[in-house]
Every structure is written in C-alpha cells, then in structure tokens.
C-alpha cells in the first residue's frame, strides 16, 4: 500500500495539482477529441491540454484535505474547475473580448484554429466541465445532493453572479476609471468567484459541515481578490515570457487596475493583507491548514 503524504508547500502542492489535473485533462482531451472529431475536436484537445499553473486545482486539493478528505479521486473535481477556467481563457482571448494572441506560452485557441472554432469549443467546455465533475463525484462516492451543491457552487460562480458578470463589467469599464469599490466588484466576479468556488467545492467534496464550507469559502473570497491584484501587478512588472501571455495588456486596453489606484507597492501590500485575512478565517473556524497558508502567500506574491 502506498502511503499518501499531502504536499504542504505551495510549490509542492502546485506540482502535485499539475500532475493530477494535467493527467485527467489529457485523458478527457483524447476521449472528447475523438468523440467530436474534426477541427473542433482538435481545438478542444488543444484548449484542455495547454499547461497552466493549476492554482485552482491546488486550492481544490488543499481545501478538501483541510476538512479531512483523503481520496485521490479529488483530482477529478480539480480537473472540473480547471475546465471551467480553461473555457474562460479561450473566450477571454477572443477578439470581441481581450483580443490576445498568446496564452500559456502558446498561440491562443482562436489564433490557432480561428474565431468560430474557438468560440464553439469554449461553449463546449462548459457541459464538459459538468461531465468531469459528475464523474469525479461518482469516483468519490458522494451522495447526489452533495454533487448538486457542488455543481450549483461551481456554475453559479461561472455565471452572471460571478465570472460572466465580472467580465461583462470589466469590458464595459474599458477606458473609464473605476473607483476602488467598483474595481473590487469587477475583480471579485471576473477572477475571484471561480477561485472562491475552488475552495467551496473542495470543502464540499470533503463533506465538510456548513461551518467548514463557510470558512473555506471566506478564505477563497480573500485569496480570489488577492490573485487578481497580483495579476494587475504582474501585468505591468513582468514580461510576456514570464507570464506566457501578453504583458502590458491592461494599459493597452485602458483598464482600471489596483496598480492604477494604489501603485505597485500599495497593490502588493493589499494582496498580502487579503492573504493574511484569508488564513485568519481558517484559524477562526478551527481549520488551520499549512497548505492553504502556503498557497495564500504564494497567490499574493506570485511571480508568474
Ligand atoms: C460573455 C461577458 C461574457 C463573459 C464570458 C470569458 C469570460 C466569461 C470571463 C473571463 C474570465 C477571466 C479569463 C478572467 C481572468 C482571470 C485570470 C487572472 C486568469 C489567469 O489565471 P492564471 O494566472 O492562468 O491562473 P493559468 O494559465 O496559469 O491557468
């Protein structure tokens, strides 16, 4: 029998998350690429296989373990969240949104396969995420009601109350200067909601009680905003090579950012403050987690 030793540093957890999410996503890419066939099948496999940092997957794993979960089948839940994230990147890069050429160090899906195929594939990935989640819930032997709560948590976060709503506000705000509360609303929706949901569904998969789910969700809310603040900082301090996507895009698109409102040092301070608050939620709920503490620190100070 192999003894499973949970990863405790951010680097180790991210490496583990990459290994298990990438493996599952590659298997789904092979299966669905064949099922769908043609350029759409090829483009879908491309979008599912592009290598990401897998921060959301790592949060799912760490949240699950923080509430006592031990099954390796949690990797399927991580893959489901990463599928929603991957769809959002395909659509975010389209000419009608952020119009970008480079993602994860490769040409964006529409640059490689054309706008109509990339648009179709992005839409296809949403029901695929539901299939991946349902398959993971079966492997984890979760009751149907738990799967229902997880699906609601994940897809509400991806919808108008979260990612779509935030992106919509973000597009509308191009060329205007937002106030800090307005910017927080955009960031919490566009980026924060899915990161928060990663923690929520990880806790639910671990069959946490309502207080546990609430604490992990509160942690996710803080690190979700911190993640986008760090993104604002990196957009103007890192290179395209370091980021694997085009640097300086916020300024080109005249977007309001934390850096614009607080400066680089002020934005970094705010990200660290939120990361510390995230960890406090866990302590207050009696759910301290070395792994989630490490991930919060990584998210606030990340270099790519
Ligand atoms: C129809 C209005 C409308 C919206 C559709 C496209 C979309 C929904 C939402 C966009 C959400 C989005 C892409 C937000 C940006 C989040 C972000 C900072 C992504 C980068 O995440 P990383 O750094 O990327 O984790 P990797 O590549 O490492 O996974």
């Amino acid at each position: 029998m192999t003894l499973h030793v949970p990863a405790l540093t951010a680097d180790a957890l991210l490496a583990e998350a990459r290994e298990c999410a990438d493996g599952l996503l590659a298997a789904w890419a092979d299966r669905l690429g064949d099922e769908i066939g043609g350029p759409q099948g090829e483009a879908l496999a491309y979008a599912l296989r592009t290598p990401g940092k897998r921060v959301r997957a790592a949060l799912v794993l760490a949240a699950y373990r923080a509430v006592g979960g031990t099954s390796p089948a949690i990797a399927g839940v991580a893959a489901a969240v990463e599928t929603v994230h991957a769809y959002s990147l395909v659509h975010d890069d389209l000419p009608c949104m952020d119009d970008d050429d480079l993602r994860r160090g490769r040409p964006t899906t529409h640059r490689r396969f054309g706008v109509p195929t990339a648009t179709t594939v992005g839409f296809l990935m949403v029901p695929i995420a539901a299939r991946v989640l349902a398959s993971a819930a079966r492997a984890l032997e979760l009751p149907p009601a738990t799967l229902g709560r997880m699906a609601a948590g994940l897809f509400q976060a991806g919808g108008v109350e979260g990612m779509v709503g935030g992106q919509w506000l973000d597009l509308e705000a191009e060329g205007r200067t937002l106030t800090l509360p307005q910017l927080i609303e955009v960031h919490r929706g566009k980026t924060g909601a899915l990161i928060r949901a990663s923690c929520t569904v990880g806790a639910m998969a671990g069959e946490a009680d309502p207080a546990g789910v609430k604490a992990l969700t509160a942690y996710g809310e803080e690190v979700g905003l911190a993640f986008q603040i760090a993104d604002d900082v990196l957009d103007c301090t890192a290179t395209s090579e370091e980021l694997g996507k085009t640097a300086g895009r916020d300024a080109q698109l005249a977007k309001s950012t934390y850096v614009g409102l607080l400066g680089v040092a002020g934005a970094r301070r705010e990200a660290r403050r939120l990361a510390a608050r995230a960890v406090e939620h866990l302590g207050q709920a009696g759910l301290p987690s070395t792994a989630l503490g490490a991930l919060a620190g990584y998210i606030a100070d990340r270099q790519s």
Side-chain angles (χ1 to χ4, degrees), residues 52-54 56 85 87-89 91-92 97 103-104 163-164 167-168 171 190-191 227-228 231 245 302:
K53 291 185 293 294
R54 306 300 183 206
R56 293 152 192 81
H85 174 53
Y87 125 72
S88 81
L89 300 180
H91 276 193
D92 188 51
M97 298 214 197
R103 174 67 71 178
R104 294 175 164 173
M163 197 167 72
V164 169
Q167 174 82 343
W168 192 345
L171 293 169
K190 181 179 80 163
T191 304
F227 187 92
Q228 181 57 51
D231 212 71
K245 60 179 180 178
R302 67 197 174 91

Side-chain angles (χ1 to χ4, degrees), residues 174 214 273-274 285 300:
E174 279 176 18
K214 195 172 162 200
R273 188 185 70 83
L274 290 164

Side-chain angles (χ1 to χ4, degrees), residues 4-262:
H4 174 70
V5 183
L8 292 179
T9 67
D11 281 349
L13 198 58
L14 287 165
E16 184 196 357
R18 270 194 299 278
E19 193 184 326
C20 59
D22 289 5
L24 281 176
L25 291 172
W28 279 96
D30 289 345
R31 178 172 159 191
L32 294 162
D34 289 347
E35 224 175 77
I36 293 163
Q40 274 84 8
E42 208 191 319
L44 175 67
Y46 180 81
L48 284 174
R49 279 177 179 277
T50 44
K53 291 185 293 294
R54 306 300 183 206
V55 172
R56 293 152 192 81
L59 287 168
V60 171
L61 302 183
Y64 173 72
R65 290 175 190 153
V67 301
T70 56
S71 169
I74 188 61
V77 178
V81 174
E82 288 287 343
T83 303
V84 174
H85 174 53
Y87 125 72
S88 81
L89 300 180
V90 172
H91 276 193
D92 188 51
D93 292 331
L94 288 171
C96 62
M97 298 214 197
D98 281 4
D99 189 14
D100 222 323
D101 299 334
L102 185 68
R103 174 67 71 178
R104 294 175 164 173
R106 298 177 185 191
T108 49
T109 310
H110 71 275
R111 279 275 162 231
R112 179 90 156 70
F113 295 93
V115 171
T117 301
T119 307
T120 308
V121 157
F123 284 127
L124 273 174
M125 288 166 87
V126 181
I128 289 169
R131 278 174 73 177
V132 177
L133 183 68
S135 161
R138 268 194 306 279
L140 286 162
E141 300 180 7
L142 292 173
T146 305
L147 170 59
R149 280 193 292 275
M150 288 165 65
L154 178 57
F155 292 106
Q156 266 172 23
V160 76
E161 298 145 62
M163 197 167 72
V164 169
Q167 174 82 343
W168 192 345
L169 293 174
D170 190 46
L171 293 169
E172 276 185 354
E174 279 176 18
R176 289 194 293 125
T177 304
L178 299 182
T179 63
L180 191 57
Q182 288 171 327
L183 185 62
I184 290 173
E185 193 188 356
V186 172
H187 281 9
R188 280 201 196 283
K190 181 179 80 163
T191 304
L194 190 59
I195 289 182
R196 186 195 66 219
S198 308
C199 303
T200 308
V201 297
M204 286 175 170
E207 300 193 77
D209 61 17
V213 173
K214 195 172 162 200
L216 267 299
T217 301
Y219 165 93
E221 180 88 25
E222 310 285 9
V223 296
L225 182 55
F227 187 92
Q228 181 57 51
I229 297 174
D231 212 71
D232 289 359
V233 170
L234 288 169
D235 187 70
C236 63
T237 57
T239 63
S240 299
E241 289 67 40
E242 285 163 336
L243 297 179
K245 60 179 180 178
T246 317
R249 209 70 191 114
D250 292 339
Q252 285 168 9
L253 295 171
K255 290 201 187 216
S256 290
T257 66
Y258 262 77
V259 173
L261 292 178
L262 304 181

